[in-house]
């Protein structure tokens, strides 16, 4: 068993194009944060492109833009390869990361996100709705497609990220306004740039998440979220193997959020875990990890694993292979539908269920409803219509 699964991992590793980039139809996405060098050893964080060559990793959120108004960026020791911008010593000009993002995307097909917040974010958000709107414009001008009208400093130069991640861990005033503006800028760019831009978040598993909730509570359409199932009583270490009902481990609660609260009814959830003992409290491996992943596969929103962080993962030999094997293994059988409690998700759509069981559901304004390779719902929420912009992109407008 172990041997054949290891073989699957080796096979995938030999075929980089087999799985690369976020795939909403897959339950085997792997996201690993890079930029903060959590292991904090001299060489424990190498340049970004080192990790993009690893075919087992699909998504890399770069941490962090840990100040928005005013702008602050911090990439731990990777910042040593950057220089401060002359007009703002707190923002880094990083040509090596620029080069690597382009390599990661073009050569390896990775999804690269800029992550906002992190534990050291302490600005408390935005003083007004208009300040939040203009901050969203600044962020997108810094990291999105080059806007010739903007003179803002771009830390990654000509490189364009695939999206933005919210990792706020303390309160953010006017977050919903900020997120709404960012989403609309991203969707407008998606249509003109012919590519998808993702909005993700990394809430704590405690529901609802204090910091990110104002955006997660049905206001803004997220493509996926990567929940921190560590450092918390609801984390993977509290999972009880064999129990159908889990009192502490709460993926059911977030799956219910996905179906009943989330603005995007097809939102995907990655289970976030610590990548090594020192990365966070609540690290699990071996049979406990296999069991919790197998159990969590029963939820239709489940889309893979997030890990904190790259430096810790690379000091934990064999761990990534185990995660890949656990994701490839069959899940445990779903519980009886009567044991779920609460109300069933309502769906107004009669849409067909896709091959991955993603279900029907309708797409909100600006959400994707078509395009080559897209397998999600195609019916727009009233009164929007699905407008085709290109072979790759159709959205509800
Ligand atoms: C996405 O995942 C699905 C399910 O595993 C797979 O069939 C499909 O080929 C993947 N798409 C891409 C573009 O890799
Ligand atoms: C800094 O640049 C050097 C030289 O290219 C490279 O070897 C190293 O991995 C980089 N460090 C980080 C943390 O990006
Ligand atoms: C730049 O400004 C022009 C003139 O106001 C406007 O038409 C155009 O849409 C702007 N471009 C972007 C990317 O904002």
């Amino acid at each position: 068993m172990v041997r054949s699964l290891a073989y699957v991992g080796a096979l995938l590793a030999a075929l980089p194009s087999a799985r690369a980039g976020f795939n909403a139809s897959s339950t085997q996405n792997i996201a690993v944060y890079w930029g903060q060098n959590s292991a904090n050893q001299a060489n424990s964080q190498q340049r970004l492109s080192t990790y993009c060559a690893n075919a087992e990793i699909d998504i890399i959120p770069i941490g962090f833009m840990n100040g928005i108004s005013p702008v602050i960026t911090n990439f731990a020791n990777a910042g040593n390869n950057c220089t401060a911008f002359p007009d703002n010593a707190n923002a880094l000009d990083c040509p090596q990361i620029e080069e690597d993002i382009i390599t990661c995307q073009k050569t390896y097909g990775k999804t690269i996100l800029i992550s906002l917040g992190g534990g050291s974010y302490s600005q408390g958000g935005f003083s007004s709705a208009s300040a939040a709107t203009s901050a969203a414009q600044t962020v997108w001008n810094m990291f999105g497609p080059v806007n010739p009208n903007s003179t803002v400093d771009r830390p990654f130069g000509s490189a364009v990220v695939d999206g933005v991640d919210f990792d706020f861990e303390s309160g953010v005033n006017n977050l919903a306004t900020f997120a709404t503006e960012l989403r609309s800028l991203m969707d407008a760019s998606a249509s003109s740039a012919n590519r998808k831009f993702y909005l993700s978040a990394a809430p704590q598993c405690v529901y609802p998440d204090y910091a990110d909730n104002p955006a997660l509570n049905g206001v803004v359409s997220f493509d996926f979220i990567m929940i921190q199932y560590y450092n918390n009583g609801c984390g993977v270490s509290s999972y009880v193997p064999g129990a159908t009902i889990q009192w502490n481990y709460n993926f059911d609660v977030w799956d219910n959020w996905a179906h009943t609260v989330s603005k995007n009814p097809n939102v995907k959830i990655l289970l976030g875990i610590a990548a090594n003992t020192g990365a966070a409290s609540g690290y699990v491996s071996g049979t406990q990890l296999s069991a919790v992943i197998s159990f969590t596969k029963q939820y239709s929103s489940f889309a893979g694993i997030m890990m904190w962080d790259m430096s810790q993962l690379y000091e934990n030999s064999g761990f990534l292979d185990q995660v890949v094997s656990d994701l490839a293994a069959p899940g445990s059988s779903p519980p009886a539908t009567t044991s779920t409690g609460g109300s069933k998700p309502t769906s107004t759509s009669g849409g067909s269920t896709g091959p991955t069981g993603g279900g029907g559901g309708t797409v909100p304004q600006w959400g994707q409803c078509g395009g080559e390779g897209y397998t999600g719902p195609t019916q727009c929420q009233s009164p929007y219509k699905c407008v085709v912009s290109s072979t790759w992109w159709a959205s509800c407008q």
Side-chain angles (χ1 to χ4, degrees):
M1 189 66 170
V2 169
R3 188 164 303 215
S4 69
L5 290 173
Y7 173 71
V8 170
L11 193 66
L12 291 170
L15 297 168
S17 59
R19 44 196 301 275
F22 172 66
N23 179 345
S25 305
S26 171
T27 55
Q28 299 181 35
N29 291 287
I30 293 183
V32 188
Y33 278 83
W34 174 88
Q36 288 300 298
N37 190 21
S38 155
N40 202 24
Q41 303 298 307
N43 293 313
S44 55
Q45 175 170 274
Q46 302 290 318
R47 62 189 287 181
L48 179 63
S49 56
T50 308
Y51 307 105
C52 290
N54 189 327
E56 292 178 336
I57 297 167
D58 306 298
I59 304 158
I60 303 181
I62 298 178
F64 285 111
M65 181 182 191
N66 53 5
I68 301 174
S69 301
V71 167
I72 308 171
T73 57
N74 178 302
F75 311 115
N77 66 327
N80 299 341
N81 291 341
C82 307
T83 53
F85 281 108
D87 55 346
N88 178 9
N90 291 320
L92 296 171
D93 181 5
C94 305
Q96 190 182 73
I97 302 180
E98 170 186 23
E99 181 188 332
D100 287 8
I101 289 173
I102 294 167
T103 302
C104 293
Q105 293 168 329
K106 296 234 158 88
T107 307
Y108 300 110
K110 305 300 179 193
T111 297
I112 308 292
L113 309 176
I114 178 71
S115 187
L116 312 184
S120 64
Y121 174 84
S122 61
Q123 295 177 335
F126 314 99
S127 57
S128 63
S130 65
T133 300
S134 92
Q137 289 161 354
T138 299
V139 168
W140 198 235
N141 283 337
M142 286 174 72
F143 298 104
V146 175
N147 179 349
N149 297 343
S150 166
T151 56
V152 74
D153 295 325
R154 291 177 60 91
F156 308 144
S158 63
V160 177
V161 299
D162 296 292
V164 179
D165 172 52
F166 287 5
D167 183 19
F168 295 110
E169 318 240 342
S170 58
V172 182
N173 286 321
N174 292 298
L175 180 63
T177 306
F178 174 78
T180 303
E181 175 66 10
L182 191 56
R183 178 86 248 188
S184 92
L185 290 168
M186 289 167 65
D187 290 340
S189 295
S191 155
S192 55
N194 249 352
R195 58 186 273 200
K196 177 85 182 155
F197 292 111
Y198 299 106
L199 187 61
S200 72
Q204 314 276 323
C205 57
V206 178
Y207 184 89
D209 178 62
Y210 171 71
D212 292 312
N213 193 56
L216 291 176
N217 67 1
V219 174
V220 182
S221 184
F222 285 82
D223 298 285
F224 57 96
I225 64 169
M226 309 180 280
I227 304 173
Q228 299 182 43
Y229 274 98
Y230 44 83
N231 289 339
N232 283 294
C234 42
V236 284
S237 59
S238 71
Y239 171 76
V240 181
T244 317
I245 295 176
Q246 297 286 329
W247 293 110
N248 294 314
Y249 179 67
N250 68 348
F251 205 94
D252 58 332
V253 171
W254 283 97
D255 183 64
N256 189 52
W257 165 83
H259 298 300
T260 63
V261 177
S262 169
K263 183 162 184 181
N264 171 10
N266 206 36
V267 66
K268 295 297 168 190
I269 304 182
L270 274 63
L271 172 62
I273 60 176
N276 202 350
T277 47
S281 69
Y283 168 75
V284 304
S285 62
T287 53
Q288 175 77 5
L289 180 60
S290 302
V292 69
I293 290 178
S294 172
F295 174 85
T296 309
K297 281 177 189 162
Q298 71 180 279
Y299 298 105
S300 62
S301 59
F302 176 72
I305 293 288
M306 172 273 273
M307 281 176 266
W308 176 266
D309 72 344
M310 195 72 82
S311 62
Q312 298 276 3
L313 178 64
Y314 270 68
E315 304 238 310
N316 192 2
S317 175
F319 190 70
L320 179 58
D321 287 340
Q322 192 204 335
V323 169
V324 169
S325 296
D326 287 341
L327 285 174
S332 56
S333 53
T337 48
T338 50
S339 72
T340 53
S343 56
K344 287 197 141 191
T346 52
S347 169
T348 51
S349 156
S352 63
T353 305
T356 55
T362 52
V363 181
Q365 187 185 16
W366 305 119
Q368 188 172 12
C369 52
E372 206 166 304
Y374 174 73
T375 56
T378 53
Q379 194 173 327
C380 294
Q381 279 173 10
S382 180
Y384 306 110
K385 298 258 178 307
C386 190
V387 178
V388 176
S389 311
S390 73
T391 320
W392 301 99
W393 182 257
S395 62
C396 295
Q397 297 175 21

